Amino acid sequence: MRTRRVLVTSALAAVFAAAPLGAATAEPFPDTIPIPTGSLPEGIATGTGTSIYAGSRADGSVWMGDLRTGEGGILVEGTEGRMAVGIKVEHGLLFVSGGTFGDAYIHDARTGEEVAVLDLTDGPAFINDVTVTEDAAYFTNSMAAELYAVELVDGMPTGDVTTLPLTGDWEQVAGFNANGIAATPDGSTLLVINSTTGILYHVDPMTGEARAVDTGGADLTQGDGILLRGKTLYVVRNRSNAIVELQMAPDHLSATVVATLTDPDFDVPTTIAAHGSRLYVVNARFTAPPGPTTEHDIVKVDGE
């Protein structure tokens, strides 16, 4: 286990003043919400009220919008040498996974002001997703068998980063490994999906010891973002254009498939977020040629 301290810095605020994207819709909570073209999104998160966020793998920018109206604009400006992959909003902060750069970024979720830049690893990296508890933010690395715990005190990062090697049942294979991550409400258990093997793991957040969850042979390959709501776990299977809904056992060591959710608006969805009873995914469109005119959107999961 490796622990190190990094400097927590603050930069000028990125003011949420960009022009809305497109015209306002008359339909409240539209089925699809356009986000910036060419942004190569992968992560989304819901915040307070009807706010929703989407990150850009292209330049690290973060878009903020309104689920009710479908309108939005750039909250965090893009910059060279940054990516925004998985994101979460907790404690009034926006936590951003930095992809191939091995970093994590933390911003004020309302203003976009930079709160911290954290160097998670200097080794092989694709910092892919993040989950946040009362006392830590945990980041996955799809290229290494380890998690990174960023210490929080009163909801704010202290600058301490602890590397947690994934041990026990964890199986590291060629390709992408640790991807989506979720925490139980009390923070005592982490759930992590391995994209390539499709194995779901129960991980001890103190030690990194992983135990394979018995899912009854469910196919969770291409597993990307995950969302835990009570005892229900949603696993997004990106290129399969599906979400697998599982009922978790009380100890989170076994699960049963309840349903598979699909929607004609899916186009390689990657991550999932909730607002009330509604579920939303973002279309990463991995199969579409990337470019400045490639369209992307957020989809309300309703099967229509």
Side-chain angles (χ1 to χ4, degrees), residues 40-42 57 267-270 282-287 294 296-297:
L40 304 180
E42 187 164 344
R57 288 180 293 118
D267 193 349
V268 192
T270 45
V282 63
N283 278 329
R285 303 192 68 199
F286 290 156
T287 57
T294 302
H296 298 281
D297 57 9

Side-chain angles (χ1 to χ4, degrees), residues 20-157:
L21 298 174
T25 176
E27 176 194 3
F29 297 99
D31 286 344
T32 60
I33 298 173
I35 56 178
T37 59
S39 59
L40 304 180
E42 187 164 344
I44 61 167
T46 47
T48 58
T50 55
S51 61
I52 190 162
Y53 302 75
S56 168
R57 288 180 293 118
D59 62 6
S61 61
V62 179
W63 175 93
M64 178 181 178
D66 189 313
L67 290 170
R68 182 181 296 277
T69 65
E71 295 183 356
I74 298 298
L75 174 69
V76 177
E77 294 290 342
T79 184
E80 186 177 356
R82 286 199 180 186
M83 298 175 71
V85 192
I87 61 176
K88 287 293 185 297
V89 175
E90 293 287 348
H91 310 303
L93 298 176
L94 170 67
F95 296 80
V96 180
S97 307
T100 57
F101 296 100
D103 296 331
Y105 314 108
I106 303 176
H107 301 267
D108 184 290
R110 184 180 61 84
T111 66
E113 180 180 358
E114 188 173 276
V115 174
V117 177
L118 301 159
D119 175 20
L120 303 183
T121 179
D122 296 323
F126 193 90
I127 308 303
N128 205 329
D129 205 0
V130 56
T131 192
V132 183
T133 67
E134 283 299 313
D135 54 14
Y138 297 90
F139 293 83
T140 60
N141 183 350
S142 296
M143 304 305 293
E146 54 194 32
L147 304 178
Y148 310 100
V150 174
E151 183 183 56
L152 304 176
V153 173
D154 296 328
M156 294 296 292

